[in-house]
Amino acid sequence: MRWRRDWHAYLFIGPSLLGVLAFLLLPMVIVFVLSFFHWELLSPPTFAGLDNYRRLAGDGESWHSLWITVVYVLLCIPLQTVLALVLALLLNQRIKGVRVFRSLFVVPWMATPIVMGLVWNWIFDPRDGAINSALAVIGVTGPDWLSDATWALPAVALVNVWQYTGYNMLFFLAGLQGIPQELYDAAATDGATPRQRFWRVTLPLLNPTMFFVMVTNLIGAFQVFDTVFVMTNGGPSKSTEVINFKIFGTAFREFDFGYASTLSMLLFAVILGVTLVQVRFFGKRTTYDMS
Amino acid sequence: MRSPRIRELRHAVTLLAAATLTLTACGSGGDGGDGGGTGGGKVTLTYRLWDDQQKVGYDKVMAAFEKANPNIDVKIELLPYDEYWTKLTADAVAGTAPDVFWMTPSQFPEYVTKGVLADMSPLKLDTTKFHPTVVGSFTYQDKLYGVPKDWGIVGLLYNKDLFKKAGVEMPASLTWKPDGSGTFLETARKLTVDEAGKHPEDPGFDPAKVKTYGFASWNHYQTQWMNWVNSNGGKLLDKPFGKYTFNDDASVQALRFGVDLVNKYHVSPPATQTNPPTGKVTDMFKAGEVAMFPANNALLPYVAPEANFEVGVALMPEGPAGRAVNLNGLSEAVYAKSQHPQEAMKLAAYLGTEEPQKLMAADGYIFPALNGLTQGYVDYWQKTKKLDVSPFVEESKGTTFPLPVTTGFTGFETKLNQIFNEMYLGKLDPKQAADQAVTEGNATVK
């Protein structure tokens, strides 16, 4: 019955559905299956049972990579989210040239990660780079950034914050503009201070936006790869060897596709867990429908 | 012991994976080198390479081959270097690799041990006609698995203007010893100047404010420390497809010398500026901040046209064990499962003959692997850039060594670079670094 009525719809989603199946769901299923196999790519896979998972349990390097990734996420997400929100609040005002600013802040998001990484490599150069030259002016000797095991990860995180803040700002801006002015007027009438208005009106009403931004950003941050690839190659001394970089190396440099699949499953499980926690956290809070 | 169900599953997975990889391959533009149509008795071969400059030369080469073999069409596929290897692996898994393609010494072990490359014995090539290091790089269990194509060799590029300004002559022969004696370090010191005009041995020299460095010593295995190791009598591998051995005394001495050039003698820029992947030694040389810079001749097209000073080429320094320079060969490999094995072998054999190799040399692309054809390349650089590249040729006639040919190198490379980055930073002693690297490396050998 429904098929008869809706077949046009299926026809229209057909091509993209095919794409999702072939390039997203199918590879995911394959990765899951492969995680139970030994496969060095050019020779046929052999069934490994739980070998790869046992190996993972005792593989300190991979857990270290996961830990590095968590630290990276913690460095990126809070900073990026707060900055994006502050920017959105500022750009939600009626000031001159606001459109130009809005566009400018989104530019980093459009930059190719590889090109961006190369440019930042110059900026982080310990001797001639912009950052250390600026620090030298105020009499501070900057660290060796990308050659320093303490600073390399924060440096990479900073680049990603720079890249995604403007993009997230767009979502917050859209969220802010969806909040009816009457609510602010009412709050002002009741004598609410600007601070109270932010915490009691703006933030609660931004809940759906916040949920979207947090979920997508956390997923993205856990999957960081390109900036690490260009800027540090996982070094110095594995201090930036995030889990996705480890997966890439295991698969395409060591040709160990079985174990790389197992590592992918680990990352998948972590992301799934973190996302479920967020769904519960945001689900418990009230969402106001303003439509 | 394996149950039928699991066997079935295994086949299913292989098929699925191959299918996905093929799909992905299609998605990225090529048609996966399907061996071509056979309509009208004509055979289409796929020839794959990664160098867009050399492709211009190969267009001519293939036209000549097609003229002599009217029943064969050759389709050239050009891929960027990184994508080249990913796609080649994927195609080999799917059984659709190109018929003939380029192979490097560091990737060779992976592909040859897994049966992707065809044995060249049927061609009955006279291997003595090719450079022995190139032949050695593509030999596995006494059989040749690729027609030697060309070689690139490390030589010492130098900035003639900086030499003139410092009033220094390039010695006829540069020599080095682990204790710091010899003409090489002496020359590098004379060319190293800080902002106050002082040299490293002068009192009050400030290593943090160097204007020009005499030399670039950095973490690059092909052009740097492997050459120090070999010219000091150290050994990288015990035998082809063997175990790494570069933690012996002579190797560690040589590694220490390379690091000392940076951190003790201060004639080279600090590792914070040169370590891969962010290092920019080539840019520093081009900017006139470094006087002597070991590089493979393949880098010349990227350096010579952009340098606003006169570039010179000199022989690499001689160590206690003489001069030993890395010579990196390429070969034309034939896919073991090619749909048209006879035609593919015919093409590979042709590419190893004088006509095409001479053409590639005369257009200044490469030094041919076939002996006696280097003059074309030398003439090209003399004529177009007034650059005397004959020292590269002289080096190739002396002691040369290949990159350590063994399995697992592609996986080891990242780890090796990370460990040696620490060594060049002075955070890890050369002995410790070498021990660590050798242990890691040997764990990847299969």
Side-chain angles (χ1 to χ4, degrees):
Chain A
M1 281 300 150
R2 287 191 57 185
W3 173 249
R4 274 227 164 140
R5 198 190 62 201
D6 297 338
W7 68 272
H8 313 84
Y10 289 103
L11 193 69
F12 278 111
I13 61 167
S16 59
L17 183 68
L18 212 65
V20 169
L21 284 175
F23 297 112
L24 209 71
L25 286 173
L26 184 65
M28 275 170 73
V29 172
I30 293 174
V31 165
F32 175 69
V33 175
L34 271 180
S35 72
F36 300 99
F37 280 77
H38 291 301
W39 191 30
E40 303 206 329
L41 210 56
L42 293 173
S43 32
T46 53
F47 187 66
L50 288 174
D51 277 8
N52 290 331
Y53 288 90
R54 263 182 234 120
R55 179 176 156 198
L56 173 63
D59 182 2
E61 273 188 24
S62 295
W63 292 106
H64 170 78
S65 284
L66 186 63
W67 169 242
I68 292 283
T69 314
V70 170
V71 174
Y72 169 84
V73 169
L74 292 175
L75 284 172
C76 275
I77 299 300
L79 188 61
Q80 189 172 305
T81 314
V82 171
L83 273 179
L85 185 56
V86 170
L87 268 182
L89 289 168
L90 288 176
L91 293 178
N92 199 28
Q93 320 280 324
R94 274 176 207 183
I95 48 170
K96 241 189 173 164
V98 71
R99 279 161 191 275
V100 178
F101 282 120
R102 279 178 199 165
S103 314
L104 278 180
F105 283 115
V106 188
V107 167
W109 172 70
M110 296 191 289
T112 318
I114 303 291
V115 174
M116 202 182 60
L118 290 175
V119 171
W120 278 92
N121 283 348
W122 285 91
I123 298 176
F124 280 122
D125 185 290
R127 233 177 67 137
D128 315 322
I131 295 183
N132 279 7
S133 303
L135 287 175
V137 173
I138 54 167
V140 177
T141 311
D144 291 337
W145 297 110
L146 301 175
S147 306
D148 188 318
T150 316
W151 287 104
L153 193 67
V156 174
L158 186 71
V159 174
N160 281 275
V161 168
W162 175 80
Q163 186 180 17
Y164 288 109
T165 298
Y167 177 63
N168 288 320
M169 178 270 291
L170 277 188
F171 292 108
F172 284 126
L173 201 56
L176 286 174
Q177 290 178 345
I179 302 175
Q181 183 60 32
E182 300 91 73
L183 293 178
Y184 289 108
D185 296 341
T189 318
D190 289 345
T193 62
R195 178 186 298 224
Q196 281 171 325
R197 267 180 273 163
F198 173 75
W199 289 105
R200 299 287 169 84
V201 180
T202 311
L203 213 49
L205 288 174
L206 274 181
N207 206 20
T209 314
M210 190 62 92
F211 175 59
F212 173 79
V213 167
M214 287 299 284
V215 168
T216 50
N217 276 351
L218 270 161
I219 293 175
F222 269 106
Q223 294 176 337
V224 62
F225 173 77
D226 34 27
T227 27
V228 169
F229 183 74
V230 183
M231 294 177 66
T232 64
N233 239 316
S237 14
K238 300 185 192 300
S239 62
T240 58
E241 197 175 81
V242 293
I243 189 81
N244 227 356
F245 189 77
K246 176 97 186 153
I247 293 171
F248 164 78
T250 309
F252 291 98
R253 286 178 170 159
E254 295 166 28
F255 297 114
D256 193 345
F257 276 71
Y259 192 53
S261 301
T262 308
L263 290 176
S264 307
M265 292 315 294
L266 172 70
L267 179 58
F268 176 72
V270 169
I271 291 178
L272 186 67
V274 169
T275 308
L276 285 178
V277 168
Q278 290 183 88
V279 170
R280 291 201 61 174
F281 175 79
F282 282 97
K284 271 193 203 153
R285 309 175 77 189
T286 321
T287 300
Y288 302 90
D289 187 1
M290 289 163 299
S291 54
Chain B
M1 290 305 283
R2 212 172 273 142
S3 75
R5 181 165 284 233
I6 286 172
R7 273 234 305 276
E8 236 175 70
L9 185 65
R10 203 190 71 185
H11 286 300
V13 169
T14 321
L15 274 173
L16 274 177
T20 331
L21 288 165
T22 322
L23 276 174
T24 326
C26 292
S28 63
D31 70 357
D34 54 9
T38 44
K42 221 174 183 191
V43 167
T44 303
L45 294 178
T46 310
Y47 178 72
R48 192 181 289 173
L49 45 73
W50 63 74
D51 188 315
D52 54 337
Q53 294 196 19
Q54 287 195 43
K55 181 180 176 293
V56 182
Y58 274 99
D59 281 335
K60 291 191 228 171
V61 169
M62 294 309 169
F65 176 76
E66 283 169 348
K67 206 171 169 192
N69 299 276
N71 64 328
I72 305 177
D73 260 344
V74 184
K75 201 179 83 196
I76 301 185
E77 270 182 15
L78 177 74
L79 285 178
Y81 187 79
D82 285 328
E83 209 178 301
Y84 181 94
W85 297 107
T86 318
K87 187 146 190 295
L88 187 60
T89 312
D91 289 345
V93 174
T96 58
D99 302 286
V100 184
F101 51 92
W102 290 5
M103 187 46 61
T104 63
S106 53
Q107 297 279 349
F108 174 70
E110 228 56 67
Y111 288 92
V112 76
T113 53
K114 285 172 182 150
V116 179
L117 310 180
D119 172 13
M120 292 294 155
S121 316
L123 290 180
K124 298 196 170 51
L125 290 176
D126 180 3
T127 51
T128 60
K129 280 164 79 183
F130 297 97
H131 196 289
T133 303
V134 185
V135 173
S137 289
F138 298 101
T139 301
Y140 176 60
Q141 295 177 342
D142 296 326
K143 283 183 190 153
L144 187 65
Y145 284 86
V147 174
K149 166 181 148 40
D150 65 44
W151 47 262
I153 194 166
V154 179
L156 191 67
L157 307 188
Y158 67 102
N159 182 327
K160 285 193 176 175
D161 293 12
L162 284 180
F163 271 75
K164 240 175 258 167
K165 220 166 72 186
V168 181
E169 285 270 333
M170 175 59 92
S173 163
L174 291 166
T175 56
W176 74 274
K177 275 190 187 153
D179 64 4
S181 59
T183 55
F184 166 66
L185 183 57
E186 195 190 316
T187 311
R189 276 181 168 142
K190 283 186 202 157
L191 289 156
T192 306
V193 196
D194 73 1
E195 282 166 7
K198 290 183 168 144
H199 300 285
E201 66 278 18
D202 294 342
F205 169 80
D206 186 354
K209 288 190 175 134
V210 176
K211 218 173 97 204
T212 42
Y213 290 98
F215 184 74
S217 176
W218 62 296
N219 182 16
H220 193 244
Y221 55 82
Q222 190 184 347
T223 63
Q224 294 274 336
W225 60 265
M226 285 187 177
N227 299 276
W228 300 128
V229 164
N230 274 289
S231 62
N232 198 40
K235 233 171 152 28
L236 298 171
L237 269 182
D238 57 356
K239 57 173 194 281
F241 290 89
K243 295 268 177 191
Y244 295 103
T245 51
F246 57 85
N247 58 344
D248 61 19
D249 288 344
S251 300
V252 171
Q253 260 187 349
L255 290 171
R256 195 180 301 282
F257 179 72
V259 176
D260 281 350
L261 290 173
V262 182
N263 299 325
K264 183 174 164 193
Y265 304 128
H266 302 296
V267 295
S268 282
T272 51
Q273 287 195 291
T274 61
N275 271 350
T278 56
K280 42 181 198 198
V281 179
T282 312
D283 294 324
M284 293 180 85
F285 179 69
K286 281 196 282 194
E289 293 167 19
V290 165
M292 292 184 281
F293 170 48
N296 189 287
N297 62 284
L299 200 71
L300 278 179
Y302 303 94
V303 172
E306 290 174 47
N308 53 1
F309 52 86
E310 203 183 335
V311 179
V313 181
L315 301 170
M316 284 290 278
E318 257 176 86
R323 180 181 297 113
V325 190
N326 171 261
L327 186 140
N328 198 37
L330 283 188
S331 69
E332 313 275 8
V334 171
Y335 182 36
K337 292 173 193 147
S338 165
Q339 300 283 309
H340 311 289
Q342 276 174 338
E343 289 83 357
M345 288 300 251
K346 197 168 185 180
L347 173 60
Y350 171 72
L351 294 174
T353 59
E354 192 168 324
E355 191 185 40
Q357 299 223 346
K358 210 169 171 175
L359 186 145
M360 293 306 287
D363 285 352
Y365 297 115
I366 41 109
F367 281 121
L370 208 53
N371 291 329
L373 295 178
T374 51
Q375 197 55 40
Y377 182 86
V378 174
D379 289 345
Y380 172 86
W381 284 97
Q382 188 65 53
K383 235 183 333 195
T384 58
K385 296 280 176 309
K386 293 197 170 43
L387 189 61
D388 177 16
V389 297
S390 60
F392 287 123
V393 179
E394 194 183 329
E395 286 180 341
S396 74
K397 290 172 182 158
T399 309
T400 58
F401 66 91
L403 290 178
V405 175
T406 188
T407 52
F409 185 74
T410 43
F412 173 43
E413 196 181 9
T414 317
K415 291 173 187 160
L416 173 67
N417 281 342
Q418 278 198 12
I419 297 168
F420 276 20
N421 268 350
E422 296 293 290
M423 178 178 80
Y424 275 87
L425 285 167
K427 288 181 183 166
L428 202 56
D429 184 76
K431 173 68 184 154
Q432 282 173 299
D435 283 343
Q436 256 186 46
V438 165
T439 309
E440 287 258 18
N442 286 338
T444 63
V445 178
K446 282 159 209 153

